[in-house]
Each structure stands twice: as structure tokens, then as C-alpha cells.
């Protein structure tokens, strides 16, 4: 049986597309049951609609606390019997409410070699720090910022001629391979 996956995203959705494509090409034994977004105008919503994947808009501001919002989210995820969650550009901290229901089942992708350059600007921060390499990390989610146990990492060389644009292009190309392959391995070994 394909693993029932939920993808959480807030933005463009290129990693969402990479995961969906890997599933369509039989490289990942999963099914995206639902896309969870915190912004209904995010371009990723259209990517899901094109693939007939249901979208759940979690309106955090409708809830008094983040924990209550996540409790509503758990109810939604359970409707789909979601087994594994992949964060793909989801710009929110996950709390203990969701983590308790999905222990070691929430995965994130981050565009740096963690623990270096956590946070929202991993690509820019690595370039500004003038390090010779950065990369991509796939890790388990905990309640911190990009601080969970690392599952896979791959490096990218920063050339002296690199700009934010060229470096981001290299990082994203690597992400689109590393995320589906890492998810596929996790699913295979579980
Ligand atoms: C990626 O760079 C990912 O590493 C980070 O957010 C970005 C999402 O991009 N967490 P996209 O929406 O998948 O194109």
C-alpha cells in the first residue's frame, strides 16, 4: 500500500511538484492525500489543483492558539489517515500538539547544511558568510527551528561568481532530487 502522505507548504511549490512527479513516475511509493497551506493564495495551491489533490487551508488566525489550530489540523489529517508529513517550504513552527500525534513522522527540507544557517534565509545567509560550500538538509521536525535529527545532506559548492540567483538555482535543483529520494528510502525502510 502506498504511504499516505500530507505535504505542508506556504509558497511556490517546486518541492511539492518534485514529490508528486516522483510518485507519478513510480519512484516514491506514496500518495499525497492532502496539501496543507497556511495561505490560500500560495502558488502551490494551483499545483495541487492541477493534480486533483485536496487542499486544506489552515487559518491559524481563526484559533486562539497555535496548539488549537494544530488540533483542528490533526482532525483533518486523520480523515485522510495520513501516515507521514513532508514540510516543503512551510513557514511555520510545528508544536508539540502535532509532534505528539506524528512522532518521527514529520520531515522537513532546508536549503543549507544544517546546523549551519537555520531559519528563513538559509541560501542568502550562506552566500553572505562567504563559505565555500552550502547544501541541502532533510531532517526530522522537532519544536525548534530547523533543529531536528538530520536524515540526509548533500553539499553544493559556492563559486566566487555565484549570486543569490545562481546559488538558489543549484540548491533547488538538488532539493528536487534529494527530497523525493530520501522520502522513498524512509518509506522503504519503515
Ligand atoms: C525550499 O528552498 C525549501 O528548502 C525551503 O523552502 C523552499 C520551498 O520552495 N524550506 P518551494 O515552495 O518548494 O519551491
Amino acid at each position: 500500500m502506498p504511504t499516505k502522505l500530507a505535504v505542508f507548504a506556504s509558497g511556490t511549490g517546486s518541492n511539492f511538484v518534485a514529490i508528486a512527479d516522483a510518485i507519478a513516475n513510480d519512484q516514491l511509493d506514496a500518495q499525497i492525500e492532502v496539501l496543507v497551506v497556511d495561505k490560500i493564495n500560495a502558488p502551490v495551491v494551483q499545483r495541487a489543483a492541477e493534480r486533483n489533490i485536496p487542499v486544506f487551508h489552515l487559518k491559524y488566525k481563526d484559533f486562539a492558539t497555535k496548539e488549537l489550530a494544530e488540533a483542528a489540523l490533526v482532525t483533518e489529517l486523520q480523515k485522510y489517515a495520513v501516515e507521514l508529513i513532508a514540510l516543503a517550504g512551510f513557514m511555520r513552527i510545528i508544536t508539540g500538539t502535532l509532534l505528539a500525534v506524528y512522532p518521527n513522522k514529520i520531515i522537513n527540507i532546508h536549503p543549507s547544511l544544517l546546523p549551519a544557517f537555520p531559519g528563513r534565509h538559509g541560501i542568502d545567509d550562506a552566500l553572505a558568510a562567504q563559505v565555500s560550500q552550502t547544501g541541502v538538509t532533510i531532517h526530522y521536525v522537532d519544536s525548534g527551528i530547523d533543529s531536528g535529527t538530520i536524515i540526509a545532506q548533500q553539499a553544493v559548492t559556492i563559486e566566487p561568481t555565484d549570486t543569490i540567483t545562481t546559488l538558489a538555482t543549484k540548491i533547488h535543483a538538488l532539493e528536487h532530487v534529494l527530497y523525493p529520494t530520501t522520502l522513498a528510502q524512509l518509506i522503504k525502510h519503515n
Side-chain angles (χ1 to χ4, degrees), residues 4-74:
K4 292 178 185 294
L5 186 65
V7 178
F8 292 13
S10 302
T12 314
S14 67
N15 283 286
F16 172 84
V17 169
I19 292 167
D21 286 353
I23 292 169
N25 295 329
D26 291 330
Q27 292 159 345
L28 174 53
D29 188 17
Q31 183 165 331
I32 304 176
E33 298 291 331
V34 60
L35 169 70
V36 175
V37 295
D38 58 339
K39 294 179 201 147
I40 200 64
N41 296 325
V44 66
V45 170
Q46 182 59 28
R47 306 284 89 81
E50 289 158 5
R51 291 166 176 78
N52 295 317
I53 294 170
V55 176
F56 178 68
H57 179 199
L58 183 59
K59 297 178 198 150
Y60 280 89
K61 64 173 172 42
D62 287 356
F63 298 90
T65 65
K66 199 180 262 188
E67 286 75 11
L68 286 170
E70 284 188 0
L73 178 56
V74 166

Side-chain angles (χ1 to χ4, degrees), residues 11-15 89 109-111 172 175:
T12 314
S14 67
N15 283 286
I109 183 165
H110 182 77
H172 293 314
E175 287 187 333

Side-chain angles (χ1 to χ4, degrees), residues 182-190:
T182 303
L183 289 171
Q185 282 168 13
L186 280 175
I187 285 170
K188 203 184 281 180
H189 296 121
N190 263 326

Side-chain angles (χ1 to χ4, degrees), residues 73-93:
L73 178 56
V74 166
T75 303
E76 190 69 18
L77 296 173
Q78 287 177 340
K79 279 188 207 163
Y80 294 99
V82 164
E83 300 167 286
L84 185 67
I85 297 170
L87 309 191
F90 189 65
M91 308 305 270
R92 299 260 179 181
I93 306 287

